[in-house]
Amino acid sequence: MDEFERIALIKKKIKPSSKVLVGIGDDTAVLRSPRGKMLITVDALVEGVHFDLRYASPEDVGHKALAVNLSDIAAMGGKPLYAVVSLGCGKSHGPAFLDAFYNGLLALAKSHDVAVVGGNLTSSPHFFADVTVVGEVKGAALTRSGMKKGDWIGVVGSLGSAAMGLASLRKRDRAALTPAVKKVQTAQLRPQPLLREGQALQKTKGVSALIDVSDGLASELHHLARASSVGVEIRADYLPIDPAVRRLSSTLSLDPLSAALYGGEDYALLVSGAPRALNSVQRALRRLGQNLVVIGEATRAKQVVMRLGEGAAEPLLPRGWNHWATQ
Amino acid sequence: MDEFERIALIKKKIKPSSKVLVGIGDDTAVLRSPRGKMLITVDALVEGVHFDLRYASPEDVGHKALAVNLSDIAAMGGKPLYAVVSLGCGKSHGPAFLDAFYNGLLALAKSHDVAVVGGNLTSSPHFFADVTVVGEVKGAALTRSGMKKGDWIGVVGSLGSAAMGLASLRKRDRAALTPAVKKVQTAQLRPQPLLREGQALQKTKGVSALIDVSDGLASELHHLARASSVGVEIRADYLPIDPAVRRLSSTLSLDPLSAALYGGEDYALLVSGAPRALNSVQRALRRLGQNLVVIGEATRAKQVVMRLGEGAAEPLLPRGWNHWATQ
């Protein structure tokens, strides 16, 4: 199967969209331009670095390759419009693999009204999937730099599940597929980007900064603090850690707090806002069946600290999952 | 050097632009939206598949990774605006490599007023560079599908040089750096996207279809014919082959006609138009110091044929450079 046959296979799977004037098959796609401001982001998943095909299905990889980018759009309060997909495929990634990869990717695209408008296919010694997403935002995007001293800091979504899921998948113990195991494995393999939540936050007055938790909470708190030139103090016992994470902790030898702080890949939203905005943020999120969990506040001191129980505040290091360390 | 240090290195090299509201360092870039319609394209270069670091410098790879995408924008008659750059780097692609790669890429970006607005860095067993470019076009983009029976078909730029350059680089005979050798090697390593030419064609009435020559002339003629539902007849002795290609042919054991038809990577423009438009196209291109070389015409018969000298027309197969064949 050559490049053109593979492209024909993909083209057949993709539904037309009224936003798309010229889709796959010309030198570029021709599209309706974003309304308001344009957002763009790119993220790559590399086999053996970001996923392992011994426990992730091709559908999982397709889902996640798009999800991580949609989460970045969510973290600006934006709406995704288009995706382009660039794949490097080895000999073992034939038509069945591509078909399954696109099933996972296109199902997620459809559920968020994202049009897949183009891509690239090349041979490569290792499989990689590089997805670029374009979105739009009316009004101001929510950046990392608007947090002010005295703002509350909260989390939408839960923390530690994806890391616990990875620990579980690495054990590959098929006998133990309890509901808790299923839940954390799904969090790792099929993260759900919180797009409606991000958009609701962008429309709510007094929200000051927003970021998604991809590298790990500790690392993202440092990003927020640095970009906003403030400090951060959080309380460990406020963190929204799923009961499934606590339940699996001893079996999988992974401390729930470490998973929540350093595990990453949860794609929860980390948000800050003025005290007067707290009620309207809670109302907006509850309308979506979600909840804001306040975990701390922005401080004058330019450091990131965590208070554990009744103890003193200890510095929180910007550790996170670092794929460079795996080299 | 970890991911954040590498990103800091790249961020420092990139100049601010008034089109860019939020650049590298947040979850997504925030940008002025395209005027008119939006164009988007992506292309990847993989080490060992598309280039060889034994003869291509990191600057060359950076230049070419952007150039191939700008050529796609040119082939729609569009203007490029933004690029995002996703890199997979191994241990041997450290700060010096990244710095040189970006020098090549940013020099080309600057000369076409393209803002590099974001990207991704990941570790990877092999180096890959995946670049997405967003552009704009006012009015109708020039697709592959508008060619009509009786239209002339012409080439802007020259054919065969990039393939001859590759043959020369593979020999790695440093003693023979004559002007002809330099010329073809530069065509292979530093292709120049014909953006002003594509834009001039898009503004000229009667131009019916446009494509860039990336896979090879024969292959592109088939794309045009299929998309436009017409046939094509070209004349071999009309093809714009650089004298340097003819001169090096026997030394490098590569037939100039094969290089022109099947070599690919020339990033010339292949254009068609109504007979009445020929004069205005010539005038528009000459204003840019360029020339249109008519190589044939669109026919009723749904096949692609070539006439060699006084001989009969022979079918031209859609062969081209196929990286899948190298696996």
Side-chain angles (χ1 to χ4, degrees), chain A residues 32-103:
Chain A
R32 170 175 81 65
S33 287
R35 291 167 182 141
K37 297 178 195 86
M38 174 169 133
L39 308 176
I40 190 164
T41 183
V42 62
D43 221 332
L45 299 186
V46 180
E47 184 178 354
V49 179
H50 301 94
F51 62 90
D52 188 326
L53 288 172
R54 282 171 301 179
Y55 56 70
S57 71
E59 284 90 347
D60 293 333
V61 180
H63 173 100
K64 194 161 175 176
L66 180 60
V68 297
N69 284 290
L70 295 184
S71 182
D72 280 322
I73 299 285
M76 305 302 279
K79 180 179 147 48
L81 296 170
Y82 307 113
V84 294
V85 179
S86 180
L87 302 180
C89 295
K91 268 190 175 161
S92 57
H93 311 99
F97 178 90
L98 274 183
D99 193 60
F101 174 90
Y102 266 92
N103 284 342

Side-chain angles (χ1 to χ4, degrees), chain A residues 156-195:
Chain A
V156 188
S158 75
L159 299 172
S161 306
M164 198 60 78
L166 185 61
S168 161
L169 288 163
R170 281 191 174 148
K171 267 189 74 183
R172 293 199 285 154
D173 181 1
R174 296 255 162 217
L177 265 187
T178 64
V181 169
K182 262 196 178 161
K183 196 171 187 186
V184 297
Q185 291 192 353
T186 302
Q188 166 60 223
L189 296 172
R190 301 270 181 144
Q192 294 298 331
L194 301 178
L195 281 160

Side-chain angles (χ1 to χ4, degrees), chain A residues 1-4 6 21-22 25-44 46-47 49-50 69 71-73 75-76 82 84-91 117-126 128 130-132 134 137 141-145 210-212 215 219-220 223 227 318 321-324 326-327, chain B residues 1-4 6 21-22 25-44 46-47 49-50 69 71-73 75-76 82 84-91 117-126 128 130-132 134 137 141-145 210-212 215 219-220 223 227 318 321-324 326-327:
Chain A
M1 185 175 235
D2 74 5
E3 184 186 355
F4 299 115
R6 289 181 201 225
L21 310 172
V22 177
D26 219 295
D27 297 289
T28 79
V30 185
L31 309 166
R32 170 175 81 65
S33 287
R35 291 167 182 141
K37 297 178 195 86
M38 174 169 133
L39 308 176
I40 190 164
T41 183
V42 62
D43 221 332
V46 180
E47 184 178 354
V49 179
H50 301 94
N69 284 290
S71 182
D72 280 322
I73 299 285
M76 305 302 279
Y82 307 113
V84 294
V85 179
S86 180
L87 302 180
C89 295
K91 268 190 175 161
V117 297
N120 190 64
L121 263 177
T122 181
S123 66
S124 166
H126 283 73
F128 68 84
D130 201 35
V131 177
T132 304
V134 168
V137 66
L142 281 175
T143 66
R144 303 173 175 188
S145 60
L210 184 60
I211 190 171
D212 70 325
D215 290 333
S219 182
E220 313 301 354
H223 289 319
W321 182 77
N322 189 333
H323 54 82
W324 297 97
T326 67
Q327 284 196 341
Chain B
M1 183 175 237
D2 74 5
E3 185 186 355
F4 299 116
R6 290 181 201 228
L21 310 172
V22 177
D26 219 296
D27 297 290
T28 80
V30 185
L31 308 166
R32 170 176 81 64
S33 286
R35 291 167 181 139
K37 298 178 194 84
M38 174 169 131
L39 308 175
I40 190 164
T41 183
V42 62
D43 220 332
V46 180
E47 184 178 354
V49 178
H50 300 95
N69 284 290
S71 183
D72 281 322
I73 299 285
M76 304 303 278
Y82 307 113
V84 294
V85 179
S86 179
L87 303 181
C89 295
K91 267 192 176 159
V117 297
N120 190 63
L121 263 177
T122 181
S123 65
S124 166
H126 282 74
F128 68 83
D130 201 35
V131 177
T132 304
V134 168
V137 65
L142 281 175
T143 66
R144 303 174 175 187
S145 59
L210 184 60
I211 190 172
D212 71 325
D215 291 333
S219 183
E220 313 301 354
H223 289 319
W321 182 76
N322 190 333
H323 53 82
W324 297 96
T326 67
Q327 285 196 340

